Amino acid sequence: MQDIPHFAQMQNAIFPFIGSFVFIVLHIYIYKALLKSLSAKLFVRFMWKIFTYFNAISCIAYLFLRNSAYVPQVIYFLLSLCLGITFLFAMAAFLYQCCSIIIITLRTKSARARWRHRTKVSILLLTLIVLVFGTYNGAKKPDIVHINIELEGLNTPIKAAVLSDVHIGGLMEESKVKQIVKMTNELNADMIFLIGDIVDAPLKNVQNALKELKNLRANEGIFYVLGNHEYFHDVENILKELKSFGFHILVNQNYTLKNTLNIVGIADFMGWRVGYLEPNIDEAFKNIDPHLPTILLAHQPKIIDYLKAPYDKVDLVVSGHTHGGQIFPFSLAMLLQQPFISELHTLKNLYQTKVYVSQGTGFWGPPMRIGSKHEITLLELVPPR
């Protein structure tokens, strides 16, 4: 069995160096491909060079300080924002190079020079607008999403609130968690599903913020499954803390709710990488009542690829992990790894399994949302008409 604290330390030690190299390469690309030739004036070029250096250093600082409990929130926000600036400017540089393929077809040199400048300025202005919008969208409170789902075999309506990918730690501090708890309780849900990546920092750094979750209220219980990010921290202590709140911790376990439905929870696929708290479908579905509808809680939507007989009789899968892509066009890359990145879907199998993928209640990395939203979902589960 791999030692989880050692694994987390190893990952946290290596990741900043790899990330730093990537960010250095990205900033060289951004300056060479886009910023350098925005103006022929030496002073303007110098200012763009200073901007590039400052943003690169800020990104590297974020990587090394991301798990520190001593960084002020304002500084942490600015460092996090620099990550988003990098992603947007890299996409802007790539977009300009795509446009250049068309521009080089123009006949005269003066026309090419004129349109190159116009294109660069237009793309830069568009990038700044998107940056402001994305930051506003990431900072505002989560949307409440209502989803109505008919479950075969369900004999009474049930309301379930879904929180996923809160990523407590960093910018998701005590006041933000308190707001999320308040909004969730106002839904008067019968049960609450916590679909992983709830905690994304060492427990000692986020103890007060995490304790806000004790105030969640649901008559039929609160159910938690592991996400991949919990594995990078003191996962055992996180599980113990959440269990002490009275939550149902479903690590390859199931729970039968008053002869109404089965709730199955499975550990995240990260467990296979680290050889600890590994997902085990056999254990998760052991002794469930086959006559009741079944809800499967799993952090990653690709769990559906493992639902083979006799474990394919699942009525609803609830997942998160994807953040809805968080910043477009990364949603396109996410689709290479996951079958769905948001909303409700129906599988073409014998049981017409429904799959709901939350876009996440918080965010990871840059405090931005572009082409996605953070959400608290209320699943209204009803008997078939």
Side-chain angles (χ1 to χ4, degrees):
M1 181 182 295
Q2 189 165 351
D3 181 69
I4 287 301
H6 174 71
F7 174 81
Q9 290 168 12
M10 181 180 66
Q11 292 292 309
N12 288 335
I14 294 174
F15 177 73
F17 292 98
I18 297 175
S20 297
F21 174 76
V22 171
F23 277 115
I24 289 171
V25 171
L26 281 175
H27 281 85
I28 292 172
Y29 169 67
I30 290 167
Y31 182 74
K32 295 286 188 181
L34 180 67
L35 301 180
K36 183 179 180 181
S37 56
L38 272 171
S39 174
K41 296 180 180 179
L42 292 179
F43 176 75
V44 176
R45 284 190 175 185
F46 175 74
M47 293 306 296
W48 279 122
K49 189 175 288 187
I50 292 297
F51 164 80
T52 306
Y53 281 132
F54 176 81
N55 202 74
I57 291 170
S58 298
C59 291
I60 293 170
Y62 170 86
L63 294 175
F64 283 94
L65 298 174
R66 71 193 193 284
N67 286 330
S68 172
Y70 305 106
V71 180
Q73 282 288 298
V74 173
I75 300 299
Y76 197 93
F77 176 82
L78 293 174
L79 296 180
S80 303
L81 190 61
C82 288
L83 300 183
I85 291 172
T86 304
F87 295 146
L88 291 180
F89 272 69
M91 286 188 286
F94 178 74
L95 178 60
Y96 169 71
Q97 290 193 315
C98 292
C99 292
S100 294
I101 297 174
I102 300 173
I103 293 172
I104 60 175
T105 62
L106 299 177
R107 291 184 178 182
T108 64
K109 185 177 181 179
S110 60
R112 291 195 294 271
R114 186 168 61 251
W115 276 102
R116 282 196 182 100
H117 180 72
R118 288 175 179 174
T119 303
K120 282 186 177 181
V121 171
S122 299
I123 289 174
L124 182 62
L125 289 175
L126 177 62
T127 301
L128 295 175
I129 292 170
V130 171
L131 174 63
V132 172
F133 168 77
T135 305
Y136 164 77
N137 204 30
K140 71 176 186 177
K141 65 181 183 179
D143 292 340
I144 302 296
V145 177
H146 292 261
I147 303 291
N148 190 283
I149 302 175
E150 295 182 5
L151 284 189
E152 192 69 39
L154 189 65
N155 52 35
T156 184
I158 292 176
K159 295 194 296 182
V162 178
L163 301 178
S164 176
D165 301 276
V166 180
H167 290 279
I168 294 175
L171 296 176
M172 294 302 295
E173 34 75 44
E174 190 174 345
S175 64
K176 292 283 183 68
V177 179
K178 188 173 184 176
Q179 180 188 63
I180 289 168
V181 169
K182 180 177 182 293
M183 293 176 67
T184 304
N185 287 341
E186 288 172 352
L187 298 176
N188 295 315
D190 300 302
M191 62 183 78
I192 298 172
F193 299 150
L194 304 178
I195 316 294
D197 282 6
I198 303 301
V199 185
D200 193 7
L203 181 61
K204 61 184 177 64
N205 292 355
V206 294
Q207 199 104 37
N208 291 335
L210 188 60
K211 282 182 178 177
E212 287 294 332
L213 295 182
K214 289 177 67 174
N215 298 317
L216 286 170
R217 296 289 178 262
N219 292 332
E220 304 299 345
I222 299 168
F223 301 85
Y224 167 85
V225 292
L226 280 166
N228 57 305
H229 277 255
E230 279 93 350
Y231 285 87
F232 292 102
H233 307 288
D234 41 353
V235 61
E236 283 286 1
N237 289 327
I238 290 170
L239 290 175
K240 287 177 183 176
E241 186 79 359
L242 293 174
K243 190 173 184 178
S244 73
F245 297 168
F247 296 175
H248 298 284
I249 308 300
L250 300 181
V251 181
N252 305 320
Q253 294 169 293
N254 62 75
Y255 179 91
T256 301
L257 178 66
K258 297 179 180 178
N259 294 317
T260 302
L261 53 78
N262 302 306
I263 303 172
V264 179
I266 194 162
D268 187 69
F269 295 119
M270 180 60 70
W272 281 334
R273 277 186 57 189
V274 303
Y276 185 73
L277 295 175
E278 301 179 49
N280 188 318
I281 294 179
D282 291 326
E283 283 295 316
F285 282 84
K286 191 174 181 179
N287 298 325
I288 67 167
D289 189 335
H291 304 293
L292 297 178
T294 297
I295 297 176
L296 173 61
L297 309 181
H299 182 60
Q300 301 191 41
K302 65 181 179 182
I303 188 64
I304 64 174
D305 297 334
Y306 298 84
L307 296 182
K308 311 297 182 184
Y311 306 122
D312 55 344
K313 188 185 180 303
V314 174
D315 299 273
L316 172 64
V317 177
V318 184
S319 295
H321 182 64
T322 66
H323 296 213
Q326 189 164 322
I327 299 176
F328 182 84
F330 295 104
S331 49
L332 304 179
M334 183 62 70
L335 280 172
L336 298 175
Q337 187 198 29
Q338 301 290 339
F340 311 112
I341 61 170
S342 65
E343 301 181 343
L344 182 66
H345 304 268
T346 301
L347 301 184
K348 295 179 181 178
N349 60 9
L350 180 63
Y351 303 102
Q352 296 289 289
T353 300
K354 304 288 192 302
V355 181
Y356 183 75
V357 183
S358 168
Q359 296 187 56
T361 311
F363 51 79
W364 183 85
M368 299 169 63
R369 287 271 186 172
I370 300 169
S372 67
K373 61 185 177 184
H374 43 180
E375 62 184 50
I376 298 171
T377 310
L378 184 66
L379 301 178
E380 300 195 41
L381 311 176
V382 297
R385 296 176 182 176

